[in-house]
Amino acid sequence: MSRRIIVWGATGYTGGLVARQLAEQDVPDVVLAGRSGGRLDALEAELPGRQQVAVADAERPSTLRALVGGDDVVIATVGPFSRHGWPAAEVCAEAGCAYLDSTGEPPFIRRVAADLAPLAAERGAVLAPAFGYDFVPGQLAAVHALRHAPTATGVRVGYFTAGRGARRWTSGGTTASIASIVTEPSFAWRRGRLVSERAAARVRNFPASGGELVGISVGGAEHLFLPRSFPHLRDVDVYLGWAGRRSRLVQVGSAATALLTRVPGTTAAADRVSSWLVRGSTGGPSAQDRAKVLTRVIAHAVADDGSVLARCELQGPNPYDLTAALLQLTARRLRDGEAKPAPGVMGPAGLLGVEGFLALGEEVGLRVVT
């Protein structure tokens, strides 16, 4: 049997973009998977070429186990991952196959890295969570900066966007993911170890081409995976710049939320409310709107005293188009044997090697600005 690429969550917004890119490239042996057979058939009918379809539901993990084999490469795009993502990651670890996902949810990434690494290593599985706009380009910018500052002991990464004028620039799944992690604890890499830290605990300005940008601290895959490729890193910071000038207000709100969640039952109640108010799979920006909003990421390699030793700014395609390209191109590399990582849970540099990671960045259109 040929090795297959399974897009689980293909009828969602991001999954649909991945499926379309694979179809447009006429990639063989692609399976479109999701919980609605009718929607899968409709998607398959509108795509060029021919794909297989398969019903698989996170609420029924047995359907995933029946679908996935050890030779497969699974792309999971089912946000919010805190509600729907765990079964696919666990099944792939059990099956010993390759797994990529589009999550940007720090608690989910940390859980996969902590809880599934032993099983993945035992079964020969390769798991690479957060393989999209969250948090691949930041790791790429960090690699560029660190190559120019080999003595750096810290790295700071900021995620921003460039462009304006889009009527809509986030999908329903992204909104649901953000809402699902509001009350969840976050983390950071401090003094050579992973520590818990609330989101938006820090605010930082990033000098950039065209003016200064500001972001709030968040947990990211960088904290988990960059120190593996660069063991001398003592500190890793990741910042999200979507709030812009309102970042200080977000920081105050985060502190207030942290206090509220100490009250028993508050976190569970907030999660129920966010689940009811914010639904996933409600579509996303059109191709025209996506073209108006581009990826922009900045990384600083820093010394012990905080001074900046090297900078890198990357710009590239819209975050959703970028995510789809990263997922499908990497899945093809794994399926075709171009990447042969050791089993375990890893980031892009571990999955592809540093040089292979840099080559992937060029292929998806992430270009160095400074």
Side-chain angles (χ1 to χ4, degrees):
M1 179 187 296
S2 299
R3 300 190 70 184
R4 304 176 300 171
I5 295 176
I6 300 173
V7 184
W8 184 53
T11 58
Y13 181 72
T14 300
L17 293 176
V18 174
R20 182 164 296 281
Q21 288 193 16
L22 288 167
E24 290 173 348
Q25 295 297 318
D26 197 24
V27 177
D29 300 309
V30 172
V31 180
L32 308 179
R35 63 184 179 183
S36 170
R39 292 180 65 187
L40 287 167
D41 289 339
L43 174 63
E44 195 277 334
E46 74 178 50
L47 294 176
R50 290 190 60 82
Q51 299 80 33
Q52 304 172 53
V53 298
V55 174
D57 189 346
E59 301 300 322
R60 295 181 293 146
S62 61
T63 61
L64 290 170
R65 290 189 176 91
L67 172 63
V68 174
D71 289 333
D72 293 325
V73 180
V74 175
I75 300 173
T77 61
V78 287
F81 282 78
S82 59
R83 296 179 207 155
H84 310 302
W86 186 254
E90 186 174 42
V91 165
C92 289
E94 292 172 351
C97 69
Y99 164 93
L100 306 165
D101 71 38
S102 61
T103 189
E105 300 167 39
F108 181 83
I109 305 166
R110 187 177 186 179
R111 184 184 178 195
V112 169
D115 295 352
L116 291 183
L119 180 61
E122 175 189 338
R123 300 291 178 88
V126 174
L127 310 183
F131 216 91
Y133 170 84
D134 316 292
F135 290 92
V136 171
Q139 294 177 75
L140 183 65
V143 168
H144 278 290
L146 289 167
R147 282 163 67 93
H148 289 90
T151 62
T153 58
V155 66
R156 303 170 187 149
V157 173
Y159 282 85
F160 308 95
T161 56
R164 61 182 63 187
R167 294 183 179 182
R168 180 178 183 180
W169 67 282
T170 60
S171 71
T174 297
T175 304
S177 290
I178 293 172
S180 73
I181 62 174
V182 168
T183 58
E184 293 286 343
S186 192
F187 53 85
W189 186 256
R190 297 269 180 267
R191 300 179 185 85
R193 63 189 183 94
L194 195 66
V195 300
S196 296
E197 181 178 281
R198 66 178 174 85
R202 301 163 184 247
V203 174
R204 179 169 292 279
N205 294 334
F206 284 79
S209 58
E212 198 166 61
L213 302 171
V214 60
I216 56 171
S217 60
V218 295
E222 287 88 344
H223 299 118
L224 300 170
F225 301 130
L226 279 177
R228 299 186 187 181
S229 298
F230 301 93
H232 57 283
L233 286 178
R234 288 176 48 80
D235 297 283
V236 177
D237 287 294
V238 182
Y239 296 85
L240 183 62
W242 290 6
R245 296 178 180 179
R246 297 184 293 276
S247 294
R248 290 291 180 186
L249 292 176
V250 175
Q251 185 182 39
V252 172
S254 171
T257 300
L259 291 173
L260 287 173
T261 55
R262 295 179 183 176
V263 179
T266 304
T267 299
D271 183 61
R272 288 193 296 271
V273 170
S274 70
S275 300
W276 180 72
L277 289 175
V278 186
R279 308 287 184 177
S281 300
T282 58
S286 66
Q288 292 79 9
D289 281 339
R290 293 199 307 273
K292 297 175 182 177
V293 179
L294 305 178
T295 294
R296 187 180 194 185
V297 177
I298 298 170
H300 293 168
V302 299
D304 277 337
D305 61 2
S307 59
V308 177
L309 302 177
R311 298 177 173 84
C312 176
E313 180 178 338
L314 297 177
Q315 291 191 16
N318 176 270
Y320 291 106
D321 295 319
L322 174 66
T323 293
L326 287 166
L327 288 168
Q328 60 96 359
L329 286 169
T330 304
R332 290 160 63 183
R333 281 166 162 75
L334 290 168
R335 196 267 299 272
D336 297 340
E338 296 176 22
K340 298 180 180 179
V345 181
M346 64 200 70
L351 190 72
L352 303 170
V354 171
E355 296 303 324
F357 184 24
L358 293 172
L360 176 67
E362 292 183 8
E363 187 170 359
V364 299
L366 285 169
R367 59 187 181 85
V368 178
V369 178
T370 58

